[in-house]
Amino acid sequence: MQLRSTSSYAHLLTLLRSCIDARSYPTGKLLHARVLRLGLLHATFLCNRLVELYAACGATRDARSAFDATPRKDVYTWNAILGAYCKAGELQSARRLFDAMPERNCFSWNNVISSLVRNGLEREAVEAYRSMRWDGFVPTRFTLASVFSACSALLDVEVGRGCHGLAVKIGLEKNIYVGNALLCMYAKCGRIEDAIRAFRDLPDPNEVSFTAMMHGLAQTDRVTEAVEMFRLMCRQGMPIDAISLSSVLGVCSSGGYDESSLDSCGGGGHSCILQGQQVHSLMIKLGYGSDLHLNNAIIHMYAKNGDMDSAEMIFRNLSEVSEVTWNLMIAGYGNKFESDKAIRYMQRMQCYGFQPNEITFINALVACVTSGNVEMASQVFAGMLFPTVSSWNVMLSGYFQSDNHIEVIKHFKKMQFLGVRPDRTSLATILSSCAALEVLEYGRQVHAASLKVAGNADVYVTSGLITMYSNCGKIELAKLILHKIPKLDIVCWNSMMAGLVLNSLDVEAAVLFNKMRQMEMLPTESSYGTMLSCCSKFRSSVYGRQVHAEIVKDGYANNVCVGSALVHMYCKYGDIDDARRFFDMMPYKNTVTWNEMIHGYAQIGFGHEAVCLYENMISMGMKTDSVTFVAVLTACSHGGLVDAGISILNSMQQDHGVEPLLDHYVCIIDCLGRAGCFSELEVLIDRIPYRDDPVLWEVILSSCRVHANVSLAKKAADELFHLDPQNSAPYLLLANIYSSLGRWDEARAVRNQMNNNQIAKDPGYSWIDIKHEIQTCLHYNPEAVEERIEV
C-alpha cells in the first residue's frame, strides 16, 4: 500500500510539472481533484506544485485556495502564492502576504522587488532592496538586475554605483544577466564611459549587451561608435535578428537632417544615411525584406536623414502598410518643411481606408508649423474632432513662432472654454506671449491657472512666470516667485538674470550669477550670454574678464553664442584689439558674430576696418541680414566712406536679397550729411519710402547744423514741425543754426514760435559719480548738455 502511494505521488508530480510547463489549466484541475481523492494534501511539495500551476495559468484565486488548503506550509509554499500575486500585478495582496510571511528568503525579496519594477514603482523597489540588505540577505543576480533596472528608470546613478560595488564584492559583476543590466543603467543615466567599462568587463557579451551599448552611445550623440558596435557584433558572429536591425536603424536615424548636407555620424567618415543603406542591404540579405516593422524603421531612417526619395521608393514597394507607415511619411515631409506633400499624404491615407489618429494629426500640424504655414495648420486643426492638449500645443507654438501673440491668447482661451486642461508646455507658451505683449493682467490670470495645473513646483512654468513679470516691469514679483520654488534649475536662474538685466538691475544680476555659482549650479550658454550682456554695461572691464576666464574654464569658449557675446562685450569696452583677437580665434562664427565685430569697428570710427571685415564676410559665403548692413553703413558714416556706403546700399537688394529699411537709409543719409553731399542727399530723399519718418529729418537737420545749410535746414525743420509738433529738438537746432550765422532775428523768431506753441525744452542733466553711486542733477538751462563728472 505504501509503495502504491509513493508511485502515485511521483506520477502526480511528473504530471503537474508537465501542466505547469504547458500552462494547462483544465488538466491541472483534474490532477488537483486526484490529489484530494488520494488524500495527499499532507505532501507539502505536491501542494506547492498546485499553487505554482495556478500561478502559471494566471488563476490567482485558485492558487490562493490551494495555498489556504495546504496544512503544512513551508517557505516555498509562501513564495509560490507570493509569486502568483506578483505575476498578476496584485501588489496590495502581495504586500499583505509578504508582511505576513513567517519566514523569507532571497526568492521572496526578488519576487517583490522585480514585481515593483515591472509595475513602474521603481522608488519602492529600491526601498525594498534596502530593507532586504538591512535584514542581512545577500542579493542574487536577479536582485541586482532588478535594482539596476529601477535605477535606470529613476536615473539614480548613485544607488546604481552602490549596487555595482556590492556586485563586485560578491563576484557577480561579470555575470551576463547582471552585467547587461549594469551597462544599461549607466547608459540610461548618461554615464557612457562607465557603461563602456562595464561592457568591456563582460567576459562573453551577448546580443543584448551590444544592443544596449548601441542605444547608450546613440543617446550621447556618439553615433559613429554606436554603428561600430554593430559592426563588431557582426564580426564576432552574434546572431543578427529583427531587434538588432531595428536598433541599429534607430541609431542611423539619430543623425538628423541638415539642409546643407547630410550630417556625419558624430564626425565619422561615413554619413548616417550611408550606414543606414548598408544596414538596409543586410536586412534584405538576411531575409527580413518583407518585415513591416523593419520596413517602417528603414522609412524612418531615410526620412530622418532627409532622403525622402528613398523613403518614397520603399513605401511604394511595400506589400502592406500600417498607420505607422503613413505617419512616418507625413513626419518625413514635415522634417523637410514640405507641408504640401505632408498634407497630400494624409489625404491619400484616408483614401486608402486608414483613419488618421492623434499622431497623424500632430505630424501634419508640425509639418505645417515648421514650414511657416500656420494657416494650413489651422485648417488641419479645424478638422480634428477631439484634439488633445498636444495638438493644441502645436497650434500655440505655431502662432508663437510667427509672432502672432494675440492668436496665441485667443487659442488658449478657446482651449480652456472647451475644457482641455493645459499642461506645462501650454502654460509656458502662453506666458511667453504675455511677456512679448507685456499684458500683465492676462499674465496674472494665466499664473492663477498654472497654480491649479502645476502648483509652485514646475520649474518650466516658473521660468515663464519670471520672464512674464520681468517683461511687464514687475521685477519684485519675479523675485518672489523665484524664492518660492523649493528646487530651482538652471532655466529659472537664467530667466531671473535676464529679467534683472532687462530692468537695468545689472549689479543684482551679477550678484545672482555669483550666488548661482556658489550653489554649484553649472552655468549654460544662456547664463553666460546674459552675464556678458550685463558686464558690457559696467564701466570697468575687470568683472567681464573674470567671467571670460570662467567661460574658458567651463569649456564654453568655442560656443558661437557665447563667443559672439564676448566680442560684443569687448567692443562695448572699446577694447577693439581684444575683441578682434578673440574673434579671430573662434573656430566657428555665425552672422551675429560677424555683425558684432563690424559694429564694434563702427562704434569707434574704424570705417575701413569695418568695410574690409564686411567684404571678408561676403567672400567667405556668410549670410548677411539687415543688422549686418546697419553695422557696415554706420561704419561708413562714422568713417566718411561715402562711395563705399552708396555701393553697399545699392547691393543690398540686388546682391543679397535684403530690403533696405529705415535704419539703413538713416545711416546713408547721415553719411552723406556728414560729408556735406547735400545734392545727393536730396535726390535720395525724393526716392525713398520713409519720407514721413521724423528720425530721417532729424538726421538731416543735424547735418545742416554742422555745414550751415540754412535752406535744407528750414525744409527739414518744417517737416518736423508737421510730423512731430511737440518735439523741441527741431526748434532748438534751427535756432542754433541761425545763431551760429549771426542771424539773431531769425533765431529769436524760432524761439518765439516755440514759446507760442507751448513747446517745452527737455531738461539737461548731469551724472555725478560719488563713491560708485550715481547721483543725477537736473537743470533747465536751454543750452545745457549732458555732463559726467567723476569725484
Side-chain angles (χ1 to χ4, degrees), residues 643-694:
D643 292 338
I646 293 292
S647 175
I648 290 170
L649 181 72
N650 292 335
S651 71
M652 285 180 62
Q653 179 69 51
Q654 182 178 349
D655 298 337
H656 306 287
V658 178
E659 185 70 31
L661 303 175
L662 173 64
D663 289 341
H664 304 114
Y665 287 117
V666 166
C667 290
I668 200 64
I669 285 171
D670 185 50
C671 182
L672 292 169
R674 285 171 183 254
C677 301
F678 290 108
S679 57
E680 292 89 340
L681 188 152
E682 292 190 69
V683 170
L684 182 62
I685 282 290
D686 289 336
R687 66 181 180 86
I688 65 175
Y690 299 100
R691 282 180 55 87
D692 294 335
D693 196 286

Side-chain angles (χ1 to χ4, degrees), residues 636-648:
C636 292
S637 174
H638 292 178
L641 306 177
V642 178
D643 292 338
I646 293 292
S647 175
I648 290 170

